[in-house]
Amino acid sequence: MKKTASALAASLALSTLLVACGGGGDDTPVTPRAAASASDNTQFFNRVATFAVCAQLGSSCETREETAAEIVAASTDGMTLIYTNSPKDEVGFVDITDPTAPQALGALAMGGEPTSITVRGEHALVAVNTSASFTVPSGKLVVVNIATRQVVHEINLGGQPDSIAISKDGKYVAVVIENERDESVTTANGKGFPPQLPGGKLVIVDAVGAPNAWQTRDVALTSLVMPYPTDPEPEYVSINDNNVAVITLQENNHIALVDLVTGTVTRDFTAGSTSLTQIDRTYVKSVPTELSLTESLTDRLREPDGVTWVSTSQFVTANEGDLSGGSRGFTLFNADGSVAFDAGNTMEHLMARIGHANDKRSASKGNEPENVAAGRFDRTDYLFVASERSSVLAVYDLSTANQPTLKQVLPSAQAPEGVLTIPSRNLVITASEETDPVAGKPAIFAALNIYQYQKAGPSYPTIESANRTDGTPIPWSALSGLAAAPTGALLYAIDDAFFKSNRIFEIDTSVTPAKLQREIRITDPNGLIAALATSLPGTASSSAFDATDLPALVNNTDKSVNIDPEGIAIASSTYGGGFWIASEGALGKSANLIFKVSATGVIENIIQLPSDVTAKQTSNGFEGIAEADGKLVVAFQLPWTGDMANHARIGVYDLTTQTWSFMFYPLDVVTSVNGGWVGLSEIMALGSNRFAVIERDNQAGPDATIKKIYRIDLTGKADGSVLSKTLVRDVLPDLRGTRGHVLEKIEGLARRADGHVYLVNDNDGLDKGHGETQLIQLGRLFN
């Protein structure tokens, strides 16, 4: 759906009205009122609740229906949220009287696809697309009584609406009529390119008297000096205190200003371009990849999407891009079209620093800033920038003229579209549209995220990286294992198979957020993986590791390796120090292997499973590793062929005799309404032959029911024994305590030297996920 940016406009527009009515919204002009903006280092925004849109359909989101939350508005008192749900052709209502406990109030059918929304007094104004086709566009403005949740009036708009905004004085409603193009159609300029008629326009609704008395005026946006003058494709609109609307014409890389009183275009200009250095613009699945931050883009068109006034003379655009643009940041423009500030590569670096860089989007538009909003909280003016592909909301302090300063970054549900500020209640809301309700698999839930301005420090991110020598942040993501140094506050983590050229990360937990301060690349300069081939069969089999699997493990000219690290443990001095790495095998592609690596990441030894055990693999393998009492203990995630039903293997490798034995761990029964599986994700040594394991289901959000830490004791257990387990902690409350969706992949567990236990999740490198990484301190759980 190409509604994203324009829909966002609606939410911005709402803010102006909220200010007029004592509330606040994302179009709120931040022109100084009683005093100039002043920075405040005592207050920060923190997430206090996440409302899954599917909760409108069932308290536990039992349904697998597709839902969305694209644009969000609020009642004038700020107590009720109204959001657009395009897949269901409806708007939804949420009670946020208590913002920490939002309550579903139901939904209202719109008779078409709602694309944007704002509020005027007691009414929500909804732009609805009723088009029969791209070439026969149509739409309407639906006026809804918020209290009764009933339609009171409809106004024909004469085309397909996208964004909507309302003036602070309530006199004018500006509706952008995009008349969206068909991206499957090839024109003289290329597939999906303009011009594709009919062209769009701006509709001004003169909101005088009762809704049934409102009149409309059309403002033509054609014939401006831009690439496709017959097809302006207006995308987003915002209105300042002087009743001047700023409109982004994204595909034309153009911006227009319209005086709403006279209905005339008073100024228009190109959005221009910018050049970027030290970014990653490459992603090829079949070759080694990581976020290199060494590439450049020259003269990249901004192609702005969302827009908001920050005063009567300046506005900010979110430069998402569309056709061939996307500068991966935002721009502060003066009303004459000159640039006062451009974010350059800073948002790309921000995402890399906090683990939210979406490498699969590197070759396209990077983090894709989608929307912007502004608001004054207490005496400080803030800008909020939503990143669609990195699923965060970046917050900037606007107190210094022409120099937005990053204050913090907030985690969001996947693909935030709409942003709304409510300064009167110290609240900010994002609407995230992405949803994937496939039965049995981890679901993605469209949601409203609620953030509160508090006298408290920021709770996110929980990990951020230091800089490399070239001044760029150490890029990281997909943490799939955790281990603690024998002394001090250092933890070690690894990235998994999502990235090639795997690394070990050193994390200092003595500071907040924890500092990822060093990266150690795993390398095989001595060719131990290749040497393994001499003892292996030369033809592929369905499960056994053989010579044909070697390219999957190492194919890099710098001797780095492409494995699937899922577990990490500190190697004791008896074995030369360094690390043990458990690499998960992929059926018919690679083996479950243990790598002994030095403190500098060089592979020193490789340990295999017995061939008869490897032949049993039918599902996920190694998921964690621990060293204790001269043995390595590995956790298998799921049962293998011929094993006891619902029992996962615990493998024990005697480092002296170099022999394996196996015990069987009883898994909890699946209890999620969405089905799926339950398995092991980590193992950690506790001493005296005792170990802690993470047991979890493969479900997220409201579907998640099993996220637990159990203790097992291997004392006196012979090969083939069935283990018993003791619950140490149900970590679902800890995961819910982040006020976001429950994270699926809790995969790292480590006990620091002072006894504090840390839990971390694997964010899968933002591959079909929102990328949130939570490093959670659980306290001293073990004696």
Side-chain angles (χ1 to χ4, degrees):
M1 230 170 3
K2 192 176 156 287
K3 308 269 169 306
T4 62
S6 30
L8 303 176
S11 78
L12 294 188
L14 155 73
S15 59
T16 308
L17 178 61
L18 291 178
V19 170
C21 301
D26 47 1
D27 195 33
T28 306
V30 293
T31 307
R33 292 160 176 79
S37 177
S39 297
D40 186 345
N41 294 323
T42 69
Q43 297 190 88
F44 291 85
F45 296 90
N46 284 308
R47 184 175 58 197
V48 295
T50 297
F51 177 82
V53 174
C54 54
Q56 296 278 20
L57 306 172
S59 59
S60 299
C61 290
E62 297 89 350
T63 177
R64 296 296 105 184
E65 293 181 54
E66 184 180 2
T67 59
E70 290 183 284
I71 303 302
V72 60
S75 57
T76 54
D77 62 4
M79 297 296 178
T80 302
L81 299 179
I82 313 101
Y83 63 89
T84 62
N85 185 346
S86 59
K88 294 185 69 64
D89 287 351
E90 66 186 24
V91 293
F93 301 83
V94 181
D95 181 354
I96 59 165
T97 302
D98 178 357
T100 68
Q103 301 295 315
L105 292 176
L108 178 64
M110 287 289 100
E113 177 192 24
T115 60
S116 193
I117 188 169
T118 188
V119 165
R120 183 184 186 277
E122 64 183 1
H123 297 123
L125 312 181
V126 187
V128 178
N129 176 18
T130 58
S131 302
S133 67
F134 289 102
T135 56
V136 188
S138 65
K140 59 185 179 179
L141 180 67
V142 179
V143 183
V144 177
N145 184 289
I146 298 172
T148 64
R149 299 195 286 281
Q150 297 294 319
V151 174
V152 298
H153 189 59
E154 295 186 356
I155 299 172
N156 178 38
L157 294 173
Q160 173 254 315
D162 204 344
S163 169
I164 184 173
I166 191 166
S167 62
K168 181 178 178 179
D169 58 19
K171 292 181 179 179
Y172 306 103
V173 180
V175 186
V176 160
I177 304 299
E178 182 182 13
N179 288 346
E180 184 173 274
R181 72 189 192 281
D182 184 348
E183 296 186 10
S184 68
V185 169
T186 299
T187 69
N189 297 305
K191 184 176 180 180
F193 272 65
Q196 295 181 34
L197 302 183
K201 60 184 177 180
L202 174 71
V203 172
I204 301 172
V205 180
D206 294 308
V208 179
N212 59 9
W214 295 354
Q215 301 295 313
T216 63
R217 292 176 283 148
D218 287 358
V219 179
L221 298 172
T222 54
S223 301
L224 304 180
V225 179
M226 55 189 183
Y228 313 108
T230 62
D231 190 9
E233 296 233 6
E235 196 77 38
Y236 213 106
V237 61
S238 177
I239 304 171
N240 69 12
D241 287 6
N242 293 337
N243 289 338
V244 175
V246 56
I247 302 167
T248 57
L249 299 92
Q250 186 174 15
E251 287 78 3
N252 281 280
N253 194 42
H254 211 72
I255 295 168
L257 302 184
V258 175
D259 184 317
L260 297 178
V261 178
T262 63
T264 57
V265 176
T266 58
R267 191 186 297 264
D268 70 281
F269 41 83
T270 177
S273 63
T274 189
S275 296
L276 305 176
T277 60
Q278 293 185 312
I279 63 168
D280 189 335
R281 54 174 299 186
T282 303
Y283 176 81
V284 182
K285 184 176 181 180
S286 61
V287 301
T289 181
E290 67 172 74
L291 288 156
S292 62
L293 301 181
T294 59
E295 298 174 285
S296 301
L297 284 170
T298 302
D299 297 329
R300 193 71 165 180
L301 298 180
R302 292 190 172 100
E303 291 184 353
D305 201 349
V307 63
T308 185
W309 290 97
V310 295
S311 72
T312 55
S313 60
Q314 290 187 315
F315 58 86
V316 174
T317 61
N319 303 326
E320 180 203 28
D322 193 358
L323 298 177
S324 56
S327 60
R328 309 185 182 206
F330 62 91
T331 303
L332 174 65
F333 284 96
N334 297 313
D336 64 2
S338 60
V339 172
F341 175 87
D342 189 89
N345 64 11
T346 57
M347 285 196 70
E348 291 287 276
H349 285 192
L350 172 63
M351 304 314 163
R353 190 179 303 282
I354 64 172
H356 277 262
N358 192 331
D359 196 30
K360 283 194 170 181
R361 303 297 302 176
S362 291
S364 182
K365 291 168 282 189
N367 76 90
E368 287 191 39
E370 176 78 15
N371 187 18
V372 283
R376 170 169 284 207
F377 289 77
D378 288 346
R379 295 191 306 115
T380 308
D381 295 331
Y382 291 110
L383 173 71
F384 303 87
V385 183
S387 168
E388 180 181 9
R389 300 298 180 175
S390 290
S391 297
V392 296
L393 185 69
V395 184
Y396 294 85
D397 186 329
L398 296 177
S399 297
T400 301
N402 301 329
Q403 194 62 50
T405 303
L406 179 68
K407 181 180 180 70
Q408 63 181 119
V409 62
L410 301 166
S412 170
Q414 189 164 342
E417 293 279 339
V419 185
L420 167 70
T421 65
I422 313 177
S424 66
R425 298 198 64 203
N426 280 334
L427 299 177
V428 176
I429 317 294
T430 60
S432 296
E433 71 161 348
E434 195 73 19
T435 182
D436 185 8
V438 179
K441 296 182 179 180
I444 296 170
F445 296 94
L448 300 174
N449 292 271
I450 303 174
Y451 312 93
Q452 189 173 61
Y453 194 49
Q454 305 172 332
K455 288 282 186 183
S459 60
Y460 199 82
T462 59
I463 302 173
E464 65 178 17
S465 66
N467 283 346
R468 289 172 165 170
T469 57
D470 66 357
T472 64
I474 298 172
W476 64 275
S477 201
L479 304 183
S480 60
L482 206 61
T487 60
L490 294 181
L491 300 180
Y492 292 89
I494 45 177
D495 57 13
D496 64 19
F498 180 80
F499 293 102
K500 313 294 184 182
S501 192
N502 303 100
R503 294 169 294 164
I504 299 168
F505 301 110
E506 182 179 88
I507 302 171
D508 181 4
T509 61
S510 68
V511 294
T512 302
K515 182 70 70 176
L516 193 156
Q517 61 187 23
R518 188 162 69 106
E519 56 187 332
I520 305 168
R521 199 168 303 282
I522 303 173
T523 60
D524 187 22
N526 302 315
L528 297 187
I529 293 176
L532 198 60
T534 61
S535 61
L536 296 170
T539 57
S541 63
S542 62
S543 59
F545 177 68
D546 58 41
T548 64
D549 296 324
L550 293 177
L553 297 179
V554 56
N555 62 355
N556 306 336
T557 57
D558 64 354
K559 301 301 182 181
S560 63
V561 300
N562 306 332
I563 59 178
D564 187 5
E566 293 289 345
I568 182 172
I570 305 297
S572 63
S573 58
T574 303
Y575 305 101
F579 307 93
W580 302 104
I581 305 295
S583 178
E584 183 178 22
L587 185 62
K589 295 181 180 179
S590 61
N592 292 278
L593 299 172
I594 297 173
F595 294 92
K596 169 61 174 61
V597 304
S598 70
T600 58
V602 175
I603 296 175
E604 299 175 329
N605 189 25
I606 304 173
I607 300 169
Q608 303 178 69
L609 284 171
S611 58
D612 62 327
V613 175
T614 296
K616 294 176 176 287
Q617 182 170 4
T618 53
S619 58
N620 306 33
F622 287 170
E623 279 289 321
I625 188 168
E627 181 201 315
D629 304 318
K631 297 179 177 63
L632 298 177
V633 182
V634 291
F636 292 52
Q637 188 158 73
L638 295 172
W640 285 9
T641 297
D643 289 347
M644 299 177 62
N646 210 43
H647 283 67
R649 286 183 180 241
I650 300 292
V652 180
Y653 183 79
D654 189 310
L655 287 162
T656 301
T657 64
Q658 299 183 16
T659 58
W660 283 94
S661 60
F662 300 93
M663 291 83 180
F664 294 91
Y665 176 96
L667 296 167
D668 285 358
V669 175
V670 172
T671 55
S672 173
V673 296
N674 195 39
W677 52 256
V678 174
L680 298 179
S681 285
E682 175 70 294
I683 189 165
M684 177 181 75
L686 299 174
S688 302
N689 223 21
R690 299 177 308 147
F691 299 84
V693 298
I694 292 177
E695 185 176 350
R696 66 170 179 88
D697 56 22
N698 69 329
Q699 302 298 307
D703 287 340
T705 59
I706 298 175
K707 311 289 181 187
K708 298 177 180 179
I709 299 172
Y710 282 101
R711 185 177 65 247
I712 56 176
D713 192 334
L714 304 188
T715 303
K717 300 298 182 182
D719 186 33
S721 296
V722 176
L723 301 172
S724 59
K725 62 185 184 181
T726 301
L727 180 64
V728 175
R729 189 180 186 112
D730 181 348
V731 296
L732 265 178
D734 299 287
L735 296 170
R736 290 174 178 146
T738 68
R739 301 294 183 171
H741 286 319
V742 172
L743 300 168
E744 179 212 349
K745 289 190 171 182
I746 53 169
E747 295 201 345
L749 189 69
R751 182 171 59 167
R752 221 168 51 175
D754 62 1
H756 285 286
V757 175
Y758 284 79
L759 179 77
V760 75
N761 68 292
D762 176 0
N763 73 358
D764 270 342
L766 286 84
D767 186 18
K768 299 181 180 179
H770 50 80
E772 186 172 327
T773 297
Q774 290 285 348
L775 179 67
I776 302 174
Q777 189 194 105
L778 300 175
R780 294 181 171 91
L781 302 184
F782 305 99
N783 296 326

